[in-house]
Amino acid sequence: MKKTLITAILVIALSALPAFAATAKKVDSVAVATFSTYQSTYKGFTAKVVTPIVTGLIDKKAQTALNASLMSDSVQVINDYCKGVNDMLSDPASETGHLAVDSGYTIKVDNSATLAFDVHVLNAVGSSSTTHKLYTLDKRKHALITLKGLFKNGS
């Protein structure tokens, strides 16, 4: 249900943004771009969440699933941040605390054969933690490369 909702939001967003939809249709190679940016600053609370979108895959179901996953991850980061801010503001002792989140992506490889990018999420509340999700796309096959796809069946 949740993935269906995210997919529906992505489809609606693509149709609602004619300039973006036109750009996405013109792309004939595999690419990653910024779909949206969420920013918030209030007292000691800051957030910046950049959501990437992938275009150019031949398998449109796989592309939609990947983009829905990227969007769902960003929505989860934003929801977690908002909950953390709300929790801290409801406690007068922690109202002046600090909470920060920085999420975005970095292109690691972009050549004629491969596009690889890293989606990172940095959380800071007293201490910090960073998570990474790495994605590799085959530009020649216009497909997502998975670990399983690198090995022959039965190996």
Side-chain angles (χ1 to χ4, degrees), residues 65-78:
L66 174 58
N67 287 330
S69 176
L70 293 167
M71 183 179 289
S72 177
D73 289 349
S74 289
V75 167
Q76 186 63 52
V77 169
I78 294 166

Side-chain angles (χ1 to χ4, degrees), residues 14 17-29 31-34 53 55-56:
L14 282 174
L17 300 169
F20 181 79
T23 304
K25 288 177 188 171
K26 290 179 188 175
V27 173
D28 60 350
S29 65
V32 63
T34 298
I53 187 168
T55 58

Side-chain angles (χ1 to χ4, degrees), residues 104-122:
Y105 66 96
T106 305
I107 297 173
K108 297 294 187 179
V109 176
D110 189 5
N111 59 36
S112 61
T114 306
L115 171 63
F117 64 100
D118 169 17
V119 177
H120 66 273
V121 179
L122 167 75

Side-chain angles (χ1 to χ4, degrees), residues 1-146:
M1 167 94 178
K2 190 174 185 180
K3 286 189 178 195
T4 306
L5 178 62
I6 297 296
T7 303
I9 291 169
L10 179 62
V11 170
I12 291 167
L14 282 174
S15 8
L17 300 169
F20 181 79
T23 304
K25 288 177 188 171
K26 290 179 188 175
V27 173
D28 60 350
S29 65
V30 176
V32 63
T34 298
F35 178 75
S36 67
T37 302
Y38 168 86
Q39 288 187 293
S40 173
T41 302
Y42 177 73
K43 294 186 179 183
F45 309 105
T46 60
K48 181 175 182 184
V49 180
V50 177
T51 305
I53 187 168
V54 172
T55 58
L57 298 185
I58 289 175
D59 184 346
K60 296 305 177 194
K61 280 187 177 182
Q63 179 174 292
T64 299
L66 174 58
N67 287 330
S69 176
L70 293 167
M71 183 179 289
S72 177
D73 289 349
S74 289
V75 167
Q76 186 63 52
V77 169
I78 294 166
N79 286 342
D80 290 347
Y81 167 76
C82 290
K83 182 182 181 321
V85 169
N86 188 48
D87 290 349
M88 290 180 85
L89 289 175
S90 65
D91 178 7
S94 63
E95 188 176 287
T96 58
H98 173 75
L99 173 67
V101 65
D102 178 44
S103 177
Y105 66 96
T106 305
I107 297 173
K108 297 294 187 179
V109 176
D110 189 5
N111 59 36
S112 61
T114 306
L115 171 63
F117 64 100
D118 169 17
V119 177
H120 66 273
V121 179
L122 167 75
N123 287 297
V125 185
S127 64
S128 67
S129 66
T130 304
T131 59
H132 296 270
K133 284 189 178 180
L134 303 168
Y135 299 88
T136 305
L137 306 166
D138 183 325
K139 287 180 146 184
R140 293 183 179 136
K141 293 181 181 178
H142 294 260
L144 177 67
I145 299 172
T146 62

